[in-house]
């Protein structure tokens, strides 16, 4: 569980943070790692649905590291947010980077 804060996991965590804040990646951007630390990227699309006003957009914003609006406003249409998260599965022992596409 503490792999990200260990010396081996720190470069992966640093690739998604900038000045102690989560970086916001554009459509064509992704975390940059040195070739010796290259890790496969596993992509998932997560569709978030539910009743109006329950906090779906606030949840996605907090996971993406963007500011959460203190006032309620309805999301018009679909809002897509991409979040990258490095992990080291216990079974393989090799780091991977999860690319999570949240559709809210």
């Amino acid at each position: 569980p503490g792999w990200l804060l260990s010396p081996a996991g720190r470069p992966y965590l640093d690739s998604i943070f900038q000045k102690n804040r989560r970086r916001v990646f554009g459509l064509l951007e992704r975390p940059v790692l040195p070739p010796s630390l290259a890790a496969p990227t596993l992509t998932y699309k997560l569709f978030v649905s539910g009743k109006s006003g329950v906090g779906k957009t606030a949840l996605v914003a907090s996971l993406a590291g963007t500011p959460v609006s203190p006032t309620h406003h309805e999301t018009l249409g679909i809002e897509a947010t991409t979040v990258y998260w490095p992990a080291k599965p216990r079974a393989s022992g090799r780091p991977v980077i999860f690319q999570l596409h949240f559709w809210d």
Side-chain angles (χ1 to χ4, degrees):
W3 173 78
L4 277 176
L5 301 177
S6 72
R10 196 65 196 183
Y12 296 94
L13 189 61
D14 291 341
S15 71
I16 62 169
F17 278 86
Q18 183 177 29
K19 297 180 183 175
N20 292 331
R21 296 194 65 181
R22 181 179 283 279
R23 278 185 58 198
V24 177
F25 294 95
L27 290 174
L28 301 176
E29 297 176 314
R30 60 185 311 234
V32 178
L33 290 165
S36 62
L37 297 176
T41 302
L42 304 175
T43 304
Y44 290 93
K45 185 185 289 184
L46 303 167
F47 180 71
V48 183
S49 70
K51 292 185 178 185
S52 177
V54 296
K56 299 176 299 292
T57 302
L59 170 69
V60 172
S62 64
L63 291 174
T66 57
V68 177
S69 176
T71 60
H72 171 71
H73 67 281
E74 289 197 26
T75 304
L76 301 175
I78 294 177
E79 191 173 306
T81 306
T82 301
V83 175
Y84 288 93
W85 193 254
K88 186 174 180 183
R90 290 182 183 170
S92 70
R94 190 184 149 146
V96 296
I97 296 179
F98 290 101
Q99 181 182 19
L100 308 173
H101 294 285
F102 287 100
W103 284 45
D104 171 30

